[in-house]
C-alpha cells in the first residue's frame, strides 16, 4: 500500500535505498483486493515499511483498513509493519471492531532500553510501547503479538540488554524475530563505537532466544482445545499427509489431511481445526470441518 520510509532509524538503509514514503491510491488498492477475493484469495496483508503513516488525500490508514475489510466478511485482513511511534488508538480500536481484521499484530520494539531506543532514533520509550500493548489487549485480549529485536546495537550494556529481556518477558510474544546487529554502511550507527566483545553479544543473543522460546510456548498454550479457522497453505515439510496452515493469530497449525480430501482441494481454503497440542513453534490438531 506504500513504499519508502521517512523514519531514519540510525541502523537502517531503507530511507536511503527506497526513498521517502509514497502511499498508493486507495481505489487502486481496493480494486486489487476485490479482484483477489473474486479469484478465491481468502487473506490479504496490507504491506508497507510504516503502514500507520499511510495517507492518500482524505484516506488515512484506519479508513483504508475499514474499506478493505468491507470488501467481504469472508476476507481475512492483516497489516505490517507498524512503527510503535505511529500506531494510533483508532487503529488499535479496530482489533475490537472488525471481526475480519485478524488478531495478530507485528510491532517491532527493537530494544527495551530507552537509551538504546534513543541511539536507534526510534522516537518512543519502552513505557510508550508497553502502553500500546496494554491498549491492544484491552481492545481485543486475543491479539497475538510479534516483534523484531536487535541484540548488540553499538554500546549496548548488560543493563540495556536486561531491559530488553524484561520487556520480552512482560509482553508475552507469540513470535520474536531476533537479530544480531549488523553494520550497514552509510547509516549513522555505522560510525558508532562498540567496545562489546563478540562473545558477550552472542551470549545475550542465546539468552534472548531461550526467553523467546519459553514465552512462545506459554503463549501457545491458550489455544489448546480451541477450534481455529486455519487457512491452508500446503503440507507440512516433514509429512505430506499433514496439512499446514495459519491460524487467525498467524500461528502455524498442522493437522492430518482428512480422509477423502486432497491437499490440492484444501489449499487456499479455510478449515476448522480443533487444537490438541500447543508446541513452541506450531499447534497441532484435527480438522473438524472443511470448507
Ligand atoms: Fe523505516 Fe523500519 Fe528502517 Fe526504521 S527500521 S528506517 S521504520 S524501514
Amino acid at each position: 500500500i506504500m513504499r519508502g520510509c521517512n523514519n531514519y532509524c540510525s541502523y537502517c538503509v531503507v530511507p536511503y535505498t527506497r526513498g521517502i514514503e509514497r502511499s498508493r491510491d486507495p481505489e487502486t488498492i481496493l480494486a486489487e483486493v476485490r479482484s483477489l477475493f473474486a479469484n478465491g484469495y481468502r487473506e490479504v496483508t496490507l504491506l508497507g515499511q510504516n503502514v500507520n503513516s499511510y495517507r492518500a488525500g482524505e484516506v488515512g490508514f484506519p479508513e483504508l483498513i475499514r474499506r478493505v475489510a468491507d470488501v467481504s466478511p469472508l476476507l481475512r485482513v492483516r497489516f505490517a509493519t507498524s512503527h510503535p511511534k505511529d500506531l494510533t488508538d483508532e487503529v488499535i480500536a479496530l482489533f475490537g471492531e472488525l471481526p475480519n481484521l485478524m488478531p495478530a499484530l507485528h510491532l517491532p520494539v527493537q530494544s527495551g532500553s530507552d537509551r538504546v531506543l534513543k541511539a536507534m532514533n526510534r522516537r518512543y520509550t519502552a513505557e510508550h510501547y508497553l502502553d500500546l500493548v496494554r491498549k491492544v489487549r484491552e481492545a481485543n485480549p486475543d491479539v497475538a503479538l510479534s516483534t523484531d529485536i536487535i541484540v548488540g546495537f553499538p554500546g549496548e550494556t548488560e543493563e540495556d540488554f536486561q531491559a530488553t529481556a524484561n520487556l520480552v518477558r512482560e509482553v508475552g510474544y507469540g513470535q520474536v524475530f531476533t537479530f544480531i546487529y549488523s553494520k550497514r554502511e552509510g547509516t549513522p550507527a555505522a560510525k558508532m563505537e562498540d567496545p562489546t566483545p563478540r562473545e558477550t553479544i552472542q551470549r545475550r543473543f542465546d539468552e534472548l532466544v531461550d526467553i523467546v522460546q519459553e514465552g512462545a510456548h506459554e503463549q501457545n498454550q491458550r489455544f489448546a482445545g480451541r477450534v481455529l479457522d486455519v487457512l491452508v497453505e500446503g503440507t507440512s515439510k516433514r509429512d505430506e499427509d499433514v496439512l499446514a496452515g495459519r491460524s487467525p493469530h498467524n500461528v502455524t497449525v498442522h493437522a492430518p489431511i482428512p480422509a477423502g480430501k486432497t491437499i490440492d482441494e484444501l489449499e487456499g481454503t479455510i478449515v476448522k481445526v480443533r487444537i490438541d497440542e500447543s508446541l513452541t513453534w506450531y499447534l497441532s490438531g484435527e480438522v473438524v470441518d472443511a470448507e
Side-chain angles (χ1 to χ4, degrees), residues 225-276:
R226 278 172 66 175
V227 173
L228 301 178
D229 287 333
V230 175
L231 177 62
V232 181
E233 291 179 339
T235 57
S236 143
K237 284 195 193 87
R238 290 205 205 121
D239 187 346
E240 56 184 34
D241 296 328
V242 170
L243 67 82
R246 298 252 150 206
S247 82
H249 318 83
N250 217 7
V251 180
T252 302
V253 177
H254 288 176
I257 296 171
K261 292 274 180 191
T262 65
I263 192 64
D264 291 342
E265 286 170 321
L266 293 174
E267 206 170 308
T269 69
I270 291 174
V271 297
K272 290 198 179 298
V273 176
R274 197 193 49 246
I275 306 302
D276 302 322

Side-chain angles (χ1 to χ4, degrees), residues 9-26:
C9 300
S10 63
Y11 51 84
C12 177
V13 288
V14 167
Y16 309 100
T17 55
R18 300 201 200 155
I20 57 162
E21 287 169 359
R22 284 144 292 152
S23 297
R24 293 179 64 211
D25 171 55

Side-chain angles (χ1 to χ4, degrees), residues 4-15 18 21 49-50 81-83 85-86 108 110 120-122 150:
C5 183
N6 299 350
N7 284 317
Y8 296 95
C9 300
S10 63
Y11 51 84
C12 177
V13 288
V14 167
R18 300 201 200 155
E21 287 169 359
Q49 305 289 345
N50 187 21
T81 297
S82 282
H83 193 304
K85 80 174 166 54
D86 295 322
Q110 309 298 5
M120 288 175 164
N121 193 30
R122 293 289 288 174
I150 296 172

